[in-house]
Structure formats: C-alpha cells, structure tokens
Amino acid sequence: MSIFFGPGVCGHLDEGAGREWLVPDGCGGYAMGTVCGLRTRRYHALLVTSLTNPAQRRVALAALDPVVQLPSGATVRLGVHEWASGTVSPAGHEFLERFDLIDGVPRWRWRIGDIVLERELAMAAGRPMLGVVHRLRAGGPVRLALEALCTWRDAHGERYASGPALAMAPTTDGTVLEDAYRLAGPGWEPAGEWYLGAHLREEEARGLPAQEDLWYAGRFTADLTGAGDALELCAWAGDLNGPGRRPGEIVDSARQRARAVVATAKPADDTDAVLALAADAFVVRGSGATGTTPVDVVAGYPWFGAWSRDTMISYEGLFLATGRAEEGRRLLLGYAETLSEGMLANTADTGAPEYNTVDGTLWFVHAIGRHVAVTGDTDLAQALLPALSGIVKAHVDGTRYGIRVDSQDYLLYAGMPGYALTWMDARVDGVGVTPRIGKPVEVNALWINALGVIGELSGSGGGSMFQSATESFRSVFPAPTGWLYDVVDAAARDAALRPNQLFAYALPYAPLRGQRPSAAIDANLLTPLGLRSLSPTEPGYRGRHRGGSAARDHAYHQGTVWPWLIGPYVDALHASGRAATGDLFAGLAAHLSEYGLGSVSETADGDRPHGPTGCPFQAWSVAETLRARRSAGAAAGRVAG
C-alpha cells in the first residue's frame, strides 16, 4: 500500500508536477497537490471544503511554505511556486529527497546538508479538518516557520488582489479567515498582504484562466532542537469555536483507518489493496445528487460532485467489492426517493436535482440486482419492487426527453435535439457532440437487463416484454460489418465501431450474453488503459484529449480512452467462456503510480502512448478496474479448480 519517489521525480519540477496526490475528508472536501509541491491547478490546496453539496467546494488554505533557519543563520525556503513572470521561486523541490504515499498518507522529506525535515498530512475522517506535522529527523537545531498562503473562493474560480483583502480575526493560537475557516498552531505571527500572479500550468493547458493571487495571512514558528521535535498545525472549517484536534493524532488515525479499510476489503494482492483504498475516497456521507442521501459517491476529484449514473456504474466496485454492503443499501434506498416520472435524479452539481439521463435509472436497477445477487438481501428487493415496477410503467408510458418503449419492438427510444442523454453526454455550445437520438445499443442492453432483474426479484421471470425486447434486439442490432449498430433509428443506423455494444454481451440479462463480441473490438478499441470510445478507423476519430474546453469535449467520446470500460470488456470475455489474463491489467497497474497517485484517471489519449487526461481520481475508473481484476481472479480460480 505504498508508492514512493526519489530525487529523480521529487527534485525534477516537471516530473514531480505531473503526479498528484489526494487526501479526502469523507464528506466531499480534500487536500490535494503534486509530488514536488508545485500548485498546477486551481483545485490544489491543503484545505478544500464541502459543507453542503460536494460539487460546491471552497478553496481555503492554498499552501504552507516551510522556511528553515539553519544553525549558521542562513535561511532556506522549501515552498515551490511558479509565477506569471515565468520564474519558479522559491524552488524547494531542489531539496526534496523523497516522497512517499503510505496507507494514504503523503510524506515529503527534504535534506539540507545534515538537516532532514519531514512533512506528513491527513484529513480527519468525516470533518473538513486538516492536520499537518513537520518533524525534524536529523541535524539541528533549526527554527522552522510555516507561511500560510490563503484564499476563500469557489473551487472552480479565481480570486485576485483587485477584490477585497481576506478578513482575519485573531484567536489564541492563530486566526480565523473570512469567518469561514481557522488556522491553529504554535508561534503565530500575523501578516496580511497579497502575493500576486501565482501561475497554474494545468489550467493554462486546459485553456482556462491560469493565474490567481494568494493572501499571505502570516506564519507559525517553532524551534526544533533535535531529532523528533515537531511543529504541528491544524486547519478546519465548520465549527470554528470548537477545538481542533491534535494534528499528529489526525495523521495517525488516518493511517489506521486506511489499514482498516483495506483489511475489510480483503485484497487479493498489493494492487487490489491500492484500488480498495482508492475506492474509499469516493464514498462520502451527507447530501449529494439527491440532497438527502446519507451516503453518496463523488464521481471524481477535483471537479466533479455526485452523479447518479457514475454512482450506479461504480456501485459494485465501490460497495460490494470492498465490504460496504450496508452503506450501499442505504445509498440505494436514498436514491430511490429521488425517482420522478420513472427517472432517477442524475446530479445536483448545478444546485438542484436534474433528470437528464436515459441510462442512469437503468444502471440503478442493475445496481439493485447486483446487490441482491451478492448479498442475498431479499428484504431490499421487496422494499424497492414497487419503485422498480414504477420505472417500467413510466418508460412504457413515456417520460421526459422522448424516452419511451416502442410498442412495436419493445426497445427503448430516447432523445431530443440539443440533448445528450447517454453516458456519451459531452456538449459544446449547448449541442451534443454524440447525441445518439434513437435506440442506443447500450441503453437497450440495459433496458433488457433491467426487465430481467425486475423479473428475477419479483419471481415472475423475465416476462413477455423481456422476451420480446430480447428477440427484437437480436434481429435489429447486428450490422453487416460483423459488430453491432451503435444507434438504431427509423431514419438511419449508425454502425460506427464503439465500445457501447459490449453491454449487450456483458450484463447479467444481456440479450447476447454468452456470445463473443466482434474481434474488431480487441483490434481497434482495446488499449493498456481501457477502451477507446471510437475506433481510429472511423471518421471523426480524435486521438488526443487535450486543449481548451471545446477541443476536449469534441474528443471526449470520439476516440478518448475510458478505463472504466475494462469492466464490461472483462464481463463479456467471461460470459463467452474466455479468460482475462494478467497482462490485460498491466497498464492500469502501472498507471497507479502516475498522474493521480494510487488511483485511476477519468480518461486517456486514444493515441499512443495513451497519456492520462481528465480527472486524476475517477470513481467509475477505480471501481470497474477493481471489480474487473477481482472477477478475472475469481474466473482464473474457477478454471484452476
């Protein structure tokens, strides 16, 4: 459960800046940054809070810059900042000897001659509270100062010196900023000035505003006379009048909790253990897409909130594969309360629940089916059967966005101009890049699977609609190319080679379960980090998911690799009697030590070398990689037996 880097990465600005760590607080907030210490995103900070909706985060404590006064009287600054002028000052990464991520706790070690200084930090589980410990490991005595660079803004925005200064109110051990968060530690010396033009290179690469100003609030100081002496600091939001916790206790508790999380998940190997701990980051307590659920899922860090589609796709990997079935049960019951006109609330990232997906509801049914199949929780099945029956009725009668069952073939139609309702939901200037209006292949595989799940849970079998829809699917979707149409409509049939067809072979009640998908999928879509969203042989293929928002959204589902698709790919293999070899996961295992450390990215370039892109920490990527690896291991065990 450890990842570490030496000077070759730590001391190299570009190498260290390209690897990011994340420490979540269990309620949607986090601390996040890079190995070398350089802030490259507007989201990088040591305290990012989420007191309500996980998507409505606020950036608070941006950085703590260590300043070491040596016995000689010389001063060494260990912070790292890139400025709009193009300079890097200070350049503390040049003294960074080692970075470790052990049991989810990041640790930096700086060496200045005979002086060795370490930093560890963690978040208090279930609280927006940070504990930071700086400890002298060798040499000394030294005087250590920690300079607090602060802001208070929306996580998606910027703040500049042209606006008001940050309000500061003194406390006995530090300060309260903006009446929103508190810093506490020894030897507080208040300041109060702007540091102008902090540059954020990843924001520039994404075509977004790439500068902000930071407020120097002051410094904490302590004399460290010998090995073991420490300067500890706490920062938190929420109850500002109550006491903080001892930072060393926060760090120790986080490490112990991580070990317990992994032990509960019963990992099969070290990679499985890393993925199990990564999965824990996405499970949060409190409101999310519904505003009422006691347990929810953050779709990805640092910029996503809760999305029901992502949650339900991730469900088995995040909850059932990690020993969280009871929490998962509460989540499913909470989401059931959001059903409206047969549709599940998709997200509340914009401030209110939105019902804008055709597949999220069907993934919800799938999640319930898997929960009952794995846990034997027939009480949950009985409790949710009325809601599930209501979903079928609403889809038969017709619901939002033209979603309706075709009375002729019992397949599901969906779509309206201007909307993108499937997981391929990118839009540019309000226009869907891949609107897929008609009868998308994976939506109908999910629809048929949902009918099968409900039939199983009710004891009625699939029923006539299940049988009729299955027969229609088998006659309508096979294309002359040898694979399945991606979308079927009365006016046209789209035979573009995409991975969506995998679900027709992979789901438990899939219409083609047991059959082999086209070999063209392996040849054209499979990569070391997952599956491409479009074959390079197709018109419109885009092999790089880079650039500004429009460029990235145009490429999002036009060739970009999606790691989460490894899940249905492995399911389809196993259903057709083939084994998933260990080589299939080698690229994803190596990926755990790049980009988002210990986690799996949202996306990657379609072209080699498949550089990771998008969110560095993505729920469904982690969940499906974990689930697929376990499934492959179980299948191999059955063969060996």
Side-chain angles (χ1 to χ4, degrees):
M1 290 201 311
S2 63
I3 296 172
F4 70 89
F5 300 102
V9 170
C10 299
H12 191 284
L13 190 68
D14 293 336
E15 289 291 324
R19 292 172 168 88
E20 299 171 75
W21 53 270
L22 173 78
V23 177
D25 65 9
C27 48
Y30 58 83
M32 181 181 177
T34 67
V35 164
C36 70
L38 179 66
R39 296 179 65 246
T40 65
R41 301 185 191 270
R42 66 185 69 189
Y43 306 97
H44 284 167
L46 299 184
L47 181 64
V48 179
T49 70
S50 173
L51 299 179
T52 53
N53 187 321
Q56 297 170 356
R57 301 182 180 99
R58 305 282 296 181
V59 178
L61 177 61
L64 279 174
D65 286 357
V67 181
V68 183
Q69 185 176 340
L70 304 175
S72 65
T75 296
V76 177
R77 303 177 66 85
L78 299 181
V80 189
H81 295 282
E82 191 167 25
W83 303 99
S85 63
T87 61
V88 176
S89 176
H93 63 285
E94 295 174 354
F95 299 95
L96 189 58
E97 181 179 64
R98 183 181 174 101
F99 173 89
D100 298 89
L101 186 65
I102 303 174
D103 296 330
V105 174
R107 180 174 65 195
W108 294 260
R109 177 183 293 172
W110 295 276
R111 180 179 291 276
I112 312 163
D114 294 332
I115 305 295
V116 178
L117 182 71
E118 285 186 350
R119 167 190 279 181
E120 290 184 313
L121 62 84
M123 302 293 289
R127 244 188 117 178
M129 177 177 285
L130 169 78
V132 186
V133 178
H134 290 78
R135 194 176 304 278
L136 187 64
R137 288 301 185 188
V142 301
R143 168 160 283 196
L144 176 64
L146 301 177
E147 296 185 342
L149 301 184
C150 301
T151 187
W152 184 245
R153 59 166 173 81
D154 183 274
H156 305 296
E158 304 83 31
R159 185 164 181 168
Y160 302 105
S162 56
L166 268 68
M168 295 171 55
T171 65
T172 57
D173 54 1
T175 186
V176 170
L177 292 106
E178 297 287 273
D179 197 29
Y181 63 101
R182 180 173 170 179
L183 308 180
W188 172 248
E189 301 172 6
E193 62 178 302
W194 286 104
Y195 282 13
L196 305 179
H199 182 66
L200 305 166
R201 55 170 65 182
E202 281 299 318
E203 302 306 319
E204 181 178 50
R206 298 174 68 229
L208 298 171
Q211 292 183 32
E212 68 172 333
D213 300 331
L214 299 174
W215 178 254
Y216 173 39
R219 56 165 51 185
F220 297 92
T221 60
D223 291 320
L224 309 182
T225 60
D229 285 358
L231 191 165
E232 301 189 359
L233 180 147
C234 194
W236 72 97
D239 181 6
L240 302 181
N241 295 320
R245 288 176 57 188
R246 190 176 68 81
E249 178 192 348
I250 293 175
V251 171
D252 291 342
S253 295
R255 187 174 285 116
Q256 293 167 12
R257 183 182 179 280
R259 291 170 181 166
V261 164
V262 171
T264 299
K266 297 180 174 60
D269 54 31
D270 289 344
T271 298
D272 197 58
V274 172
L275 289 168
L277 186 57
D280 180 68
F282 304 102
V283 179
V284 298
R285 286 84 188 164
S287 60
T290 69
T292 59
T293 51
V295 182
D296 216 327
V297 170
V298 169
Y301 294 98
W303 52 74
F304 286 125
W307 292 70
S308 66
R309 176 196 290 123
D310 300 57
T311 296
M312 300 309 157
I313 290 174
S314 305
Y315 182 83
E316 188 170 358
L318 295 189
F319 292 92
L320 302 183
T322 60
R324 299 178 181 272
E326 184 53 40
E327 284 185 298
R329 188 182 202 276
R330 295 200 302 272
L331 178 143
L332 295 174
L333 289 168
Y335 266 92
E337 295 178 4
T338 76
L339 287 166
S340 167
E341 299 180 41
M343 296 179 67
L344 201 68
N346 186 29
T347 182
D349 273 15
T350 57
E354 296 183 8
Y355 293 82
N356 55 2
T357 161
V358 62
D359 50 351
T361 309
L362 304 177
W363 278 112
F364 173 62
V365 179
H366 173 70
I368 295 169
R370 295 305 301 146
H371 182 98
V372 175
V374 171
T375 67
D377 188 354
T378 55
D379 288 344
L380 179 68
Q382 292 303 311
L384 291 179
L385 268 176
L388 298 180
S389 298
I391 289 172
V392 173
K393 184 178 187 304
H395 282 64
V396 170
D397 294 343
T399 185
R400 300 175 179 91
Y401 302 110
I403 299 171
R404 65 184 187 276
V405 174
D406 187 324
S407 60
Q408 299 300 310
D409 58 17
Y410 298 98
L411 298 176
L412 195 61
Y413 180 98
M416 293 175 63
Y419 295 92
L421 302 178
T422 73
W423 79 276
M424 292 187 160
D425 57 1
R427 296 201 297 171
V428 176
D429 296 328
V431 178
V433 178
T434 50
R436 306 178 73 229
I437 296 173
K439 299 171 182 175
V441 63
E442 85 284 8
V443 169
N444 277 281
L446 282 162
W447 167 242
I448 292 168
N449 183 71
L451 294 174
V453 167
I454 295 170
E456 178 70 22
L457 297 181
S458 65
S460 64
S464 60
M465 192 183 304
F466 171 78
Q467 297 297 335
S468 297
T470 299
E471 292 171 7
S472 295
F473 188 102
R474 292 171 177 171
S475 66
V476 166
F477 277 96
T481 56
W483 55 78
L484 303 184
Y485 287 113
D486 189 61
V487 183
V488 171
D489 195 5
R493 297 187 176 191
D494 179 6
L497 180 56
R498 295 186 181 274
N500 300 305
Q501 61 193 281
L502 284 170
F503 298 99
Y505 304 91
L507 293 166
Y509 297 92
L512 302 180
R513 185 172 176 83
Q515 298 183 31
R516 289 196 175 191
S518 169
I521 293 175
D522 286 14
N524 296 285
L525 300 182
L526 186 63
T527 78
L529 289 186
L531 279 81
R532 294 184 177 98
S533 48
L534 182 68
S535 168
T537 62
E538 297 285 353
Y541 171 80
R542 297 193 179 208
R544 284 179 58 79
H545 181 229
R546 309 279 167 168
S549 296
R552 284 182 283 111
D553 285 343
H554 274 298
Y556 209 34
H557 299 298
Q558 293 292 91
T560 295
V561 171
W562 291 78
W564 79 270
L565 293 169
I566 199 67
Y569 177 81
V570 167
D571 290 342
L573 282 181
H574 293 166
S576 63
R578 293 179 292 168
T581 65
D583 291 344
L584 182 63
F585 300 101
L588 286 163
H591 174 66
L592 295 173
S593 60
E594 63 177 7
Y595 205 50
L597 298 181
S599 195
V600 185
S601 64
E602 177 190 13
T603 49
D605 288 330
D607 288 348
R608 293 184 178 88
H610 308 298
T613 66
C615 260
F617 306 87
Q618 193 75 6
W620 58 10
S621 300
V622 169
E624 285 295 271
T625 301
L626 172 60
R627 187 185 67 81
R629 287 187 83 255
R630 289 202 171 185
S631 174
R638 287 193 295 271
V639 171

Short mmCIF file of all heavy atoms in Angstrom, two decimals, residues 12 84 99 101 126 130 133 182 201 207 210 308 314 344 447 457 464-465 493 533 565 570 580 602-603 614 627 630:
data_model
loop_
_atom_site.label_atom_id
_atom_site.label_comp_id
_atom_site.label_asym_id
_atom_site.label_seq_id
_atom_site.Cartn_x
_atom_site.Cartn_y
_atom_site.Cartn_z
N HIS A 12 12.69 17.01 -9.65
CA HIS A 12 12.51 17.45 -11.04
C HIS A 12 11.14 18.10 -11.15
O HIS A 12 10.11 17.44 -10.95
CB HIS A 12 12.63 16.26 -12.00
CG HIS A 12 12.72 16.65 -13.43
ND1 HIS A 12 11.62 17.06 -14.16
CD2 HIS A 12 13.78 16.70 -14.28
CE1 HIS A 12 12.00 17.33 -15.40
NE2 HIS A 12 13.30 17.12 -15.50
N ALA A 84 3.54 34.27 -12.76
CA ALA A 84 3.17 34.73 -14.09
C ALA A 84 4.38 35.26 -14.85
O ALA A 84 4.41 35.24 -16.09
CB ALA A 84 2.09 35.80 -14.00
N PHE A 99 9.52 11.33 -1.67
CA PHE A 99 8.08 11.45 -1.43
C PHE A 99 7.52 10.05 -1.28
O PHE A 99 7.82 9.16 -2.08
CB PHE A 99 7.37 12.16 -2.58
CG PHE A 99 5.87 12.14 -2.46
CD1 PHE A 99 5.20 13.15 -1.79
CD2 PHE A 99 5.10 11.10 -3.00
CE1 PHE A 99 3.82 13.14 -1.66
CE2 PHE A 99 3.72 11.07 -2.88
CZ PHE A 99 3.08 12.10 -2.20
N LEU A 101 3.80 7.80 -0.37
CA LEU A 101 2.36 7.73 -0.09
C LEU A 101 2.12 6.38 0.55
O LEU A 101 2.08 5.35 -0.13
CB LEU A 101 1.55 7.89 -1.38
CG LEU A 101 0.04 7.99 -1.22
CD1 LEU A 101 -0.35 9.27 -0.48
CD2 LEU A 101 -0.65 7.96 -2.58
N GLY A 126 -14.57 12.42 8.02
CA GLY A 126 -15.91 12.94 8.26
C GLY A 126 -15.97 14.38 8.72
O GLY A 126 -17.01 14.87 9.13
N LEU A 130 -7.84 19.54 8.59
CA LEU A 130 -6.52 19.12 8.15
C LEU A 130 -5.56 19.11 9.33
O LEU A 130 -5.54 20.04 10.14
CB LEU A 130 -6.00 20.10 7.09
CG LEU A 130 -4.53 19.99 6.70
CD1 LEU A 130 -4.32 18.81 5.76
CD2 LEU A 130 -4.04 21.29 6.07
N VAL A 133 1.97 17.78 10.13
CA VAL A 133 3.06 17.58 11.08
C VAL A 133 4.38 17.75 10.34
O VAL A 133 4.65 17.05 9.35
CB VAL A 133 3.00 16.19 11.73
CG1 VAL A 133 4.18 15.99 12.67
CG2 VAL A 133 1.68 16.00 12.47
N ARG A 182 -10.39 28.20 10.03
CA ARG A 182 -9.48 28.58 11.11
C ARG A 182 -8.15 27.87 10.96
O ARG A 182 -8.09 26.70 10.56
CB ARG A 182 -10.11 28.22 12.46
CG ARG A 182 -9.28 28.56 13.69
CD ARG A 182 -10.09 28.32 14.96
NE ARG A 182 -9.25 28.42 16.17
CZ ARG A 182 -9.72 28.27 17.40
NH1 ARG A 182 -11.01 28.03 17.60
NH2 ARG A 182 -8.90 28.37 18.43
N ARG A 201 -0.15 25.93 -14.25
CA ARG A 201 0.16 25.44 -15.59
C ARG A 201 -0.87 24.48 -16.16
O ARG A 201 -1.10 24.45 -17.38
CB ARG A 201 1.55 24.80 -15.61
CG ARG A 201 1.76 23.68 -14.60
CD ARG A 201 3.07 22.92 -14.84
NE ARG A 201 4.25 23.75 -14.63
CZ ARG A 201 5.50 23.30 -14.81
NH1 ARG A 201 5.70 22.04 -15.20
NH2 ARG A 201 6.53 24.08 -14.59
N GLY A 207 -6.85 25.54 -21.30
CA GLY A 207 -7.47 26.70 -21.92
C GLY A 207 -8.29 27.54 -20.96
O GLY A 207 -9.21 28.24 -21.38
N ALA A 210 -5.37 31.05 -15.86
CA ALA A 210 -4.25 30.33 -15.28
C ALA A 210 -3.48 31.13 -14.24
O ALA A 210 -2.34 30.81 -13.93
CB ALA A 210 -3.30 29.88 -16.39
N SER A 308 -25.62 10.34 -10.50
CA SER A 308 -26.21 9.02 -10.25
C SER A 308 -25.72 7.98 -11.24
O SER A 308 -25.53 6.82 -10.88
CB SER A 308 -27.74 9.11 -10.28
OG SER A 308 -28.23 9.42 -11.56
N SER A 314 -20.49 2.58 -10.67
CA SER A 314 -19.42 2.30 -9.71
C SER A 314 -19.88 1.42 -8.56
O SER A 314 -19.03 0.95 -7.77
CB SER A 314 -18.90 3.62 -9.11
OG SER A 314 -18.48 4.51 -10.11
N LEU A 344 -34.38 8.56 -12.39
CA LEU A 344 -33.56 8.84 -11.23
C LEU A 344 -32.92 10.21 -11.38
O LEU A 344 -32.48 10.59 -12.48
CB LEU A 344 -32.46 7.77 -11.12
CG LEU A 344 -31.80 7.56 -9.77
CD1 LEU A 344 -32.79 6.96 -8.78
CD2 LEU A 344 -30.59 6.64 -9.93
N TRP A 447 -31.85 -1.74 -20.75
CA TRP A 447 -33.31 -1.87 -20.63
C TRP A 447 -33.71 -3.34 -20.50
O TRP A 447 -34.49 -3.72 -19.62
CB TRP A 447 -33.98 -1.21 -21.82
CG TRP A 447 -35.43 -1.51 -22.01
CD1 TRP A 447 -36.01 -2.14 -23.08
CD2 TRP A 447 -36.51 -1.18 -21.12
NE1 TRP A 447 -37.37 -2.23 -22.90
CE2 TRP A 447 -37.70 -1.65 -21.71
CE3 TRP A 447 -36.58 -0.56 -19.88
CZ2 TRP A 447 -38.95 -1.51 -21.10
CZ3 TRP A 447 -37.83 -0.41 -19.28
CH2 TRP A 447 -38.98 -0.88 -19.89
N LEU A 457 -36.25 -10.48 -9.36
CA LEU A 457 -36.54 -10.03 -8.00
C LEU A 457 -38.00 -10.27 -7.62
O LEU A 457 -38.32 -10.52 -6.45
CB LEU A 457 -36.21 -8.54 -7.85
CG LEU A 457 -34.73 -8.16 -8.02
CD1 LEU A 457 -34.54 -6.67 -7.82
CD2 LEU A 457 -33.84 -8.94 -7.07
N SER A 464 -43.08 -11.40 -20.79
CA SER A 464 -43.21 -11.32 -22.25
C SER A 464 -42.46 -10.13 -22.82
O SER A 464 -41.91 -10.20 -23.93
CB SER A 464 -44.68 -11.27 -22.64
OG SER A 464 -45.30 -10.14 -22.07
N MET A 465 -42.45 -9.00 -22.10
CA MET A 465 -41.75 -7.82 -22.61
C MET A 465 -40.25 -8.09 -22.71
O MET A 465 -39.60 -7.70 -23.67
CB MET A 465 -42.02 -6.60 -21.74
CG MET A 465 -41.55 -5.30 -22.39
SD MET A 465 -41.76 -3.84 -21.34
CE MET A 465 -43.51 -3.93 -20.98
N ARG A 493 -29.15 4.00 -39.37
CA ARG A 493 -28.49 3.11 -38.43
C ARG A 493 -27.00 3.44 -38.41
O ARG A 493 -26.36 3.45 -39.45
CB ARG A 493 -28.70 1.64 -38.82
CG ARG A 493 -30.17 1.24 -38.78
CD ARG A 493 -30.38 -0.23 -39.01
NE ARG A 493 -31.80 -0.56 -38.87
CZ ARG A 493 -32.29 -1.79 -38.79
NH1 ARG A 493 -31.46 -2.83 -38.85
NH2 ARG A 493 -33.58 -2.01 -38.67
N SER A 533 -13.27 5.18 -27.12
CA SER A 533 -14.70 5.44 -27.32
C SER A 533 -15.09 5.43 -28.80
O SER A 533 -16.28 5.44 -29.11
CB SER A 533 -15.08 6.78 -26.68
OG SER A 533 -14.16 7.79 -27.04
N LEU A 565 -14.34 1.20 -18.91
CA LEU A 565 -14.89 0.22 -19.85
C LEU A 565 -14.18 -1.13 -19.78
O LEU A 565 -14.64 -2.11 -20.39
CB LEU A 565 -14.82 0.77 -21.27
CG LEU A 565 -15.74 1.98 -21.55
CD1 LEU A 565 -15.41 2.61 -22.88
CD2 LEU A 565 -17.21 1.56 -21.50
N VAL A 570 -14.25 -7.19 -19.63
CA VAL A 570 -13.92 -8.44 -18.93
C VAL A 570 -15.17 -9.28 -18.73
O VAL A 570 -15.14 -10.52 -18.88
CB VAL A 570 -13.24 -8.12 -17.58
CG1 VAL A 570 -13.16 -9.36 -16.69
CG2 VAL A 570 -11.85 -7.56 -17.83
N ALA A 580 -9.64 -13.55 -18.79
CA ALA A 580 -8.91 -12.29 -18.84
C ALA A 580 -7.55 -12.53 -18.22
O ALA A 580 -7.44 -12.87 -17.05
CB ALA A 580 -9.67 -11.21 -18.07
N GLU A 602 -9.82 9.52 -15.16
CA GLU A 602 -11.09 9.51 -15.89
C GLU A 602 -10.89 9.03 -17.32
O GLU A 602 -11.67 8.20 -17.81
CB GLU A 602 -11.66 10.93 -15.90
CG GLU A 602 -12.95 11.09 -16.68
CD GLU A 602 -13.35 12.55 -16.84
OE1 GLU A 602 -12.52 13.44 -16.57
OE2 GLU A 602 -14.48 12.79 -17.26
N THR A 603 -9.86 9.51 -18.00
CA THR A 603 -9.68 9.27 -19.42
C THR A 603 -8.20 9.21 -19.76
O THR A 603 -7.33 9.47 -18.92
CB THR A 603 -10.33 10.39 -20.25
OG1 THR A 603 -9.92 11.67 -19.72
CG2 THR A 603 -11.85 10.32 -20.21
N GLY A 614 -8.14 14.20 -18.11
CA GLY A 614 -9.36 14.32 -17.32
C GLY A 614 -9.08 14.33 -15.84
O GLY A 614 -7.98 14.66 -15.38
N ARG A 627 -13.21 -4.12 -9.69
CA ARG A 627 -14.17 -5.21 -9.89
C ARG A 627 -13.69 -6.18 -10.97
O ARG A 627 -13.78 -7.41 -10.82
CB ARG A 627 -15.53 -4.64 -10.28
CG ARG A 627 -16.64 -5.67 -10.35
CD ARG A 627 -17.95 -5.06 -10.85
NE ARG A 627 -17.89 -4.61 -12.23
CZ ARG A 627 -18.03 -5.41 -13.29
NH1 ARG A 627 -18.21 -6.71 -13.11
NH2 ARG A 627 -17.97 -4.93 -14.51
N ARG A 630 -10.83 -8.40 -9.79
CA ARG A 630 -11.32 -9.45 -8.89
C ARG A 630 -12.09 -10.51 -9.67
O ARG A 630 -11.98 -11.71 -9.38
CB ARG A 630 -12.20 -8.83 -7.81
CG ARG A 630 -11.41 -8.03 -6.82
CD ARG A 630 -12.15 -7.88 -5.52
NE ARG A 630 -11.29 -7.29 -4.50
CZ ARG A 630 -11.65 -7.13 -3.24
NH1 ARG A 630 -12.84 -7.54 -2.84
NH2 ARG A 630 -10.83 -6.57 -2.37
#
